[in-house]
Coordinates of all heavy atoms in Angstrom, one line a residue:
A330 N -27.2 -2.8 -11.1 CA -26.3 -3.4 -12.1 C -27.1 -4.3 -13.1 O -26.8 -4.2 -14.3 CB -25.2 -4.3 -11.4
A331 N -28.0 -5.0 -12.6 CA -28.8 -5.9 -13.5 C -29.6 -5.0 -14.4 O -29.7 -5.3 -15.6 CB -29.7 -6.8 -12.7
L332 N -30.2 -4.0 -13.9 CA -31.0 -3.1 -14.7 C -30.1 -2.4 -15.8 O -30.5 -2.3 -17.0 CB -31.7 -2.0 -13.8 CG -32.4 -0.9 -14.6 CD1 -33.8 -1.5 -15.1 CD2 -32.7 0.3 -13.7
A333 N -28.9 -1.9 -15.3 CA -28.1 -1.2 -16.3 C -27.6 -2.1 -17.4 O -27.6 -1.6 -18.6 CB -26.8 -0.6 -15.5
V334 N -27.2 -3.3 -17.1 CA -26.7 -4.2 -18.2 C -27.8 -4.6 -19.1 O -27.7 -4.5 -20.3 CB -26.0 -5.4 -17.6 CG1 -25.7 -6.4 -18.6 CG2 -24.7 -5.0 -16.8
D335 N -29.0 -4.9 -18.5 CA -30.1 -5.3 -19.4 C -30.5 -4.1 -20.3 O -30.8 -4.3 -21.5 CB -31.3 -5.7 -18.5 CG -32.4 -6.3 -19.3 OD1 -32.2 -7.3 -20.0 OD2 -33.5 -5.7 -19.4
T336 N -30.6 -2.9 -19.7 CA -30.9 -1.7 -20.5 C -29.9 -1.4 -21.6 O -30.2 -1.1 -22.7 CB -31.0 -0.5 -19.6 OG1 -32.0 -0.8 -18.5 CG2 -31.5 0.8 -20.3
A337 N -28.6 -1.6 -21.2 CA -27.5 -1.4 -22.2 C -27.7 -2.4 -23.4 O -27.6 -2.0 -24.6 CB -26.2 -1.6 -21.6
V338 N -28.0 -3.6 -23.1 CA -28.2 -4.6 -24.2 C -29.4 -4.1 -25.1 O -29.3 -4.1 -26.3 CB -28.5 -6.0 -23.6 CG1 -29.0 -7.0 -24.6 CG2 -27.3 -6.6 -22.8
Q339 N -30.5 -3.7 -24.4 CA -31.7 -3.3 -25.2 C -31.4 -2.1 -26.1 O -31.8 -2.1 -27.3 CB -32.8 -2.9 -24.2 CG -34.1 -2.7 -24.9 CD -34.7 -4.0 -25.5 OE1 -34.3 -5.1 -25.1 NE2 -35.6 -3.8 -26.5
V340 N -30.7 -1.1 -25.6 CA -30.5 0.1 -26.4 C -29.5 -0.1 -27.5 O -29.4 0.7 -28.5 CB -30.2 1.4 -25.6 CG1 -31.4 1.7 -24.6 CG2 -28.9 1.3 -24.9
L341 N -28.7 -1.1 -27.3 CA -27.7 -1.4 -28.4 C -28.3 -2.2 -29.5 O -27.7 -2.5 -30.5 CB -26.5 -2.1 -27.8 CG -25.4 -1.2 -27.2 CD1 -24.9 -1.7 -25.9 CD2 -24.2 -1.1 -28.2
G342 N -29.5 -2.7 -29.3 CA -30.2 -3.5 -30.3 C -29.4 -4.8 -30.6 O -28.9 -5.4 -29.6
G343 N -29.3 -5.2 -31.8 CA -28.6 -6.4 -32.1 C -27.2 -6.4 -31.6 O -26.6 -7.4 -31.2
A344 N -26.5 -5.2 -31.7 CA -25.1 -5.1 -31.2 C -25.0 -5.5 -29.8 O -24.0 -6.0 -29.3 CB -24.6 -3.7 -31.5
G345 N -26.1 -5.3 -29.0 CA -26.1 -5.6 -27.6 C -25.9 -7.0 -27.3 O -25.4 -7.4 -26.3
M346 N -26.2 -7.9 -28.3 CA -26.1 -9.3 -28.1 C -24.8 -9.9 -28.6 O -24.5 -11.1 -28.5 CB -27.2 -10.1 -28.7 CG -28.6 -9.9 -28.1 SD -28.6 -10.1 -26.2 CE -28.3 -11.8 -26.1
T347 N -24.0 -9.0 -29.2 CA -22.7 -9.5 -29.8 C -21.6 -9.5 -28.7 O -21.7 -8.7 -27.7 CB -22.1 -8.6 -30.9 OG1 -21.9 -7.3 -30.4 CG2 -23.1 -8.5 -32.0
T348 N -20.6 -10.3 -28.9 CA -19.5 -10.3 -27.9 C -18.7 -9.0 -28.1 O -18.2 -8.4 -27.1 CB -18.5 -11.5 -28.2 OG1 -19.3 -12.7 -28.2 CG2 -17.4 -11.6 -27.2
E349 N -18.6 -8.5 -29.3 CA -17.8 -7.3 -29.6 C -18.2 -6.1 -28.8 O -17.3 -5.4 -28.3 CB -17.9 -7.0 -31.1 CG -17.1 -5.8 -31.5 CD -17.4 -5.3 -32.9 OE1 -18.1 -6.0 -33.6 OE2 -16.9 -4.2 -33.3
Y350 N -19.4 -5.9 -28.6 CA -19.8 -4.7 -27.9 C -19.8 -4.8 -26.3 O -19.9 -3.9 -25.6 CB -21.2 -4.2 -28.3 CG -21.1 -3.5 -29.6 CD1 -21.1 -4.1 -30.8 CD2 -20.9 -2.1 -29.7 CE1 -21.0 -3.5 -32.1 CE2 -20.8 -1.4 -30.9 CZ -20.8 -2.1 -32.1 OH -20.7 -1.4 -33.2
G351 N -19.5 -6.0 -25.9 CA -19.1 -6.2 -24.5 C -20.1 -5.9 -23.4 O -19.7 -5.3 -22.4
V352 N -21.4 -6.1 -23.7 CA -22.4 -5.9 -22.6 C -23.1 -7.1 -22.2 O -23.3 -7.5 -21.0 CB -23.3 -4.7 -22.8 CG1 -22.6 -3.3 -22.6 CG2 -24.0 -4.7 -24.1
A353 N -23.6 -7.9 -23.3 CA -24.3 -9.1 -23.0 C -23.4 -10.1 -22.2 O -23.9 -11.0 -21.5 CB -24.8 -9.8 -24.3
T354 N -22.1 -10.0 -22.4 CA -21.2 -10.8 -21.7 C -21.3 -10.7 -20.2 O -20.8 -11.5 -19.4 CB -19.7 -10.5 -22.1 OG1 -19.6 -9.1 -22.2 CG2 -19.4 -11.2 -23.4
L355 N -22.0 -9.6 -19.7 CA -22.1 -9.4 -18.3 C -23.4 -9.8 -17.7 O -23.7 -9.7 -16.5 CB -21.9 -7.9 -18.0 CG -20.4 -7.4 -18.2 CD1 -20.3 -5.9 -18.3 CD2 -19.5 -7.9 -17.0
L356 N -24.3 -10.3 -18.6 CA -25.7 -10.6 -18.1 C -25.6 -11.7 -17.0 O -26.4 -11.5 -16.0 CB -26.5 -11.1 -19.3 CG -27.1 -10.0 -20.2 CD1 -27.7 -10.7 -21.5 CD2 -28.1 -9.2 -19.5
G357 N -24.9 -12.7 -17.2 CA -24.8 -13.8 -16.2 C -24.3 -13.3 -14.9 O -24.8 -13.6 -13.8
A358 N -23.2 -12.5 -14.9 CA -22.6 -12.0 -13.7 C -23.5 -11.1 -12.9 O -23.7 -11.2 -11.7 CB -21.3 -11.2 -14.1
V359 N -24.3 -10.2 -13.6 CA -25.1 -9.3 -12.9 C -26.4 -10.0 -12.3 O -26.9 -9.7 -11.3 CB -25.5 -8.0 -13.6 CG1 -24.3 -7.1 -13.9 CG2 -26.3 -8.3 -14.9
R360 N -26.8 -11.0 -13.1 CA -27.9 -11.8 -12.6 C -27.5 -12.6 -11.3 O -28.2 -12.6 -10.3 CB -28.3 -12.9 -13.7 CG -29.7 -13.5 -13.4 CD -30.7 -12.4 -13.3 NE -32.0 -12.9 -12.8 CZ -32.2 -13.0 -11.5 NH1 -31.3 -12.8 -10.6 NH2 -33.4 -13.4 -11.1
A361 N -26.2 -13.1 -11.3 CA -25.7 -13.8 -10.1 C -25.6 -12.8 -8.9 O -25.8 -13.2 -7.8 CB -24.4 -14.4 -10.4
G362 N -25.3 -11.5 -9.3 CA -25.2 -10.5 -8.2 C -26.5 -10.3 -7.4 O -26.5 -9.6 -6.4
R363 N -27.6 -10.8 -7.9 CA -28.9 -10.6 -7.2 C -29.1 -11.8 -6.3 O -30.0 -11.9 -5.5 CB -30.0 -10.4 -8.1 CG -29.9 -9.1 -8.9 CD -31.0 -9.0 -10.0 NE -32.3 -8.7 -9.5 CZ -33.4 -9.0 -10.0 NH1 -33.5 -9.9 -11.0 NH2 -34.5 -8.6 -9.4
I364 N -28.2 -12.8 -6.4 CA -28.3 -14.1 -5.6 C -27.2 -14.2 -4.6 O -27.4 -14.6 -3.5 CB -28.3 -15.3 -6.6 CG1 -29.5 -15.3 -7.5 CG2 -28.2 -16.6 -5.8 CD1 -29.4 -16.3 -8.7
A365 N -26.0 -13.9 -5.1 CA -24.8 -14.1 -4.3 C -24.1 -12.7 -4.0 O -24.3 -11.8 -4.7 CB -23.8 -15.0 -5.0
P366 N -23.4 -12.6 -2.9 CA -23.1 -13.6 -1.9 C -24.3 -13.7 -0.9 O -24.3 -14.7 -0.1 CB -21.9 -13.1 -1.2 CG -21.9 -11.7 -1.4 CD -22.5 -11.4 -2.7
V367 N -25.2 -12.8 -1.0 CA -26.4 -13.0 -0.1 C -27.6 -12.5 -1.1 O -27.4 -11.5 -1.8 CB -26.4 -12.1 1.1 CG1 -26.1 -10.6 0.8 CG2 -27.7 -12.2 1.9
S368 N -28.6 -13.3 -1.1 CA -29.7 -13.0 -2.1 C -30.5 -11.8 -1.7 O -30.5 -11.4 -0.5 CB -30.6 -14.2 -2.2 OG -31.4 -14.3 -1.0
R369 N -31.2 -11.2 -2.7 CA -32.0 -10.0 -2.4 C -33.1 -10.3 -1.4 O -33.4 -9.5 -0.5 CB -32.6 -9.5 -3.7 CG -33.5 -10.4 -4.4 CD -33.8 -10.0 -5.9 NE -34.6 -8.8 -5.9 CZ -35.9 -8.7 -5.6 NH1 -36.6 -9.8 -5.3 NH2 -36.5 -7.6 -5.7
E370 N -33.6 -11.6 -1.4 CA -34.7 -11.9 -0.5 C -34.1 -11.9 1.0 O -34.8 -11.5 1.9 CB -35.3 -13.3 -0.8 CG -36.1 -13.3 -2.1 CD -35.2 -13.4 -3.3 OE1 -34.0 -13.7 -3.2 OE2 -35.7 -13.0 -4.4
M371 N -32.9 -12.5 1.2 CA -32.4 -12.5 2.5 C -32.0 -11.1 3.0 O -32.1 -10.8 4.2 CB -31.1 -13.4 2.6 CG -31.5 -14.9 2.3 SD -32.8 -15.6 3.3 CE -32.2 -15.6 5.0
I372 N -31.7 -10.2 2.1 CA -31.5 -8.8 2.5 C -32.8 -8.2 2.9 O -32.9 -7.5 3.9 CB -30.8 -8.0 1.4 CG1 -29.4 -8.5 1.2 CG2 -30.7 -6.5 1.8 CD1 -28.6 -7.8 0.1
L373 N -33.9 -8.5 2.1 CA -35.2 -7.9 2.5 C -35.6 -8.5 3.8 O -36.2 -7.7 4.6 CB -36.2 -8.2 1.4 CG -35.9 -7.5 0.0 CD1 -36.9 -7.9 -1.1 CD2 -35.9 -6.0 0.2
N374 N -35.4 -9.7 4.1 CA -35.7 -10.3 5.4 C -34.9 -9.5 6.5 O -35.5 -9.2 7.5 CB -35.2 -11.8 5.5 CG -36.2 -12.7 4.7 OD1 -37.3 -12.4 4.5 ND2 -35.6 -13.8 4.2
F375 N -33.6 -9.3 6.2 CA -32.8 -8.6 7.2 C -33.4 -7.2 7.5 O -33.6 -6.8 8.7 CB -31.4 -8.5 6.7 CG -30.5 -7.6 7.6 CD1 -29.8 -8.2 8.6 CD2 -30.3 -6.3 7.3 CE1 -28.9 -7.5 9.4 CE2 -29.5 -5.5 8.2 CZ -28.8 -6.1 9.2

Side-chain angles (χ1 to χ4, degrees):
L332 176 73
V334 171
D335 187 62
T336 304
V338 170
Q339 188 66 22
V340 301
L341 274 137
M346 294 307 296
T347 63
T348 305
E349 182 191 348
Y350 281 85
V352 284
T354 39
L355 290 163
L356 283 169
V359 293
R360 194 63 192 79
R363 297 171 78 212
I364 298 166
V367 54
S368 69
R369 61 193 294 284
E370 292 76 21
M371 292 312 289
I372 294 180
L373 293 176
N374 285 335
F375 175 89

